[in-house]
Amino acid sequence: DAMVIQNPRYQVTQFGKPVTLSCSQTLNHNVMYWYQQKSSQAPKLLFHYYDKDFNNEADTPDNFQSRRPNTSFCFLDIRSPGLGDAAMYLCATSREGYEQYFGPGTRLTVT
Amino acid sequence: ELKVEQNPLFLSMQEGKNYTIYCNYSTTSDRLYWYRQDPGKSLESLFVLLSNGAVKQEGRLMASLDTKARLSTLHITAAVHDLSATYFCAVSGGGSQGNLIFGKGTKLSVKP
């Protein structure tokens, strides 16, 4: 019954080593979002896809990229992770920008 | 620019007591959400408030929305330990893409 799935749930990567986080959904929602949440902070939107259209937030570092090969899947690529990128990464989906459904998150550790 | 302010940021309360969390936002929005987050977990949707005067209740939690005052409240009745968590309000930035702007969250601790 899982609706928004994120893999892996926990990811450890080395400083500077590229990493990819995955999100998939069974809701057939057209909008998919990626949020970064650092410890004791609110989630912060990095970018989102409206259908195939990519929308980057102005303050999202260039180090973060995203791909959406089809409706169901969306990937977050961190090209050269730094210690400051350690966080929980949350994927969410919505239909036409209505209520967002969040996945369980991926906890990223950078060593 | 849409801003969302929550208060208090930290709340320690005894079981059985009542309290209210406040969420103010700076510009007109058509949707307001309340989420619960347990430590190390994702966001759990509690309430979606869509119109002025909307009131929703689930168990010991009740949320309301006053769009004229740009204020939402989350009222906790007779708190129990299981309600300990961080509560976020989030406001839709509008448009068809529904970007959410979150408040900083209220960390609630309910003590026996």
Side-chain angles (χ1 to χ4, degrees):
Chain A
D1 280 274
M3 296 183 290
V4 183
I5 303 160
Q6 290 187 245
N7 284 303
R9 296 291 308 278
Y10 301 90
Q11 176 74 57
V12 180
T13 191
Q14 291 180 330
F15 183 94
K17 185 174 181 181
V19 65
T20 295
L21 309 182
S22 168
C23 178
S24 63
Q25 53 131 339
T26 60
L27 298 164
N28 203 33
H29 283 170
N30 64 322
V31 191
M32 294 187 77
Y33 310 82
W34 279 104
Y35 291 87
Q36 180 193 61
Q37 186 179 24
K38 295 186 177 181
S39 182
S40 301
Q41 295 185 20
K44 179 180 178 296
L45 182 65
L46 294 173
F47 26 59
H48 73 277
Y49 275 93
Y50 183 92
D51 294 324
K52 294 182 180 180
D53 294 332
F54 177 71
N55 298 270
N56 200 31
E57 293 300 297
D59 55 356
T60 298
D62 293 340
N63 198 24
F64 291 84
Q65 305 284 322
S66 185
R67 296 170 284 136
R68 189 179 186 185
N70 54 52
T71 301
S72 301
F73 284 86
C74 195
F75 300 98
L76 170 62
D77 300 309
I78 309 176
R79 292 191 297 185
S80 182
L83 297 178
D85 297 327
M88 173 79 89
Y89 289 88
L90 298 167
C91 173
T93 73
S94 77
R95 178 180 57 82
E96 294 292 336
Y98 289 104
E99 184 176 2
Q100 292 188 23
Y101 293 79
F102 284 83
T106 295
R107 170 76 63 188
L108 178 68
T109 300
V110 181
T111 61
Chain B
E1 181 189 354
L2 176 58
K3 293 184 179 179
V4 181
E5 290 188 0
Q6 264 182 259
N7 68 83
L9 298 183
F10 297 93
L11 178 55
S12 180
M13 47 189 304
Q14 285 189 314
E15 281 190 331
K17 300 292 187 182
N18 305 331
Y19 210 85
T20 300
I21 299 170
Y22 297 88
C23 176
N24 290 92
Y25 53 99
S26 59
T27 62
T28 302
S29 175
D30 57 356
R31 276 164 260 158
L32 188 139
Y33 303 84
W34 284 98
Y35 292 93
R36 169 181 171 146
Q37 188 175 40
D38 292 296
K41 303 291 186 182
S42 186
L43 298 172
E44 175 191 350
S45 179
L46 295 175
F47 302 108
V48 181
L49 302 170
L50 300 176
S51 60
N52 188 43
V55 177
K56 291 195 174 180
Q57 183 163 5
E58 180 73 34
R60 301 175 188 273
L61 300 177
M62 183 174 71
S64 66
L65 179 62
D66 180 342
T67 56
K68 293 179 182 177
R70 296 177 188 158
L71 170 68
S72 179
T73 62
L74 180 66
H75 187 73
I76 303 156
T77 302
V80 292
H81 179 69
D82 284 353
L83 290 179
S84 297
T86 298
Y87 293 84
F88 290 97
C89 67
V91 178
S92 173
S96 61
Q97 303 184 33
N99 295 357
L100 292 181
I101 310 298
F102 283 84
K104 290 186 176 181
T106 297
K107 186 172 182 179
L108 172 65
S109 175
V110 181
K111 301 181 186 302

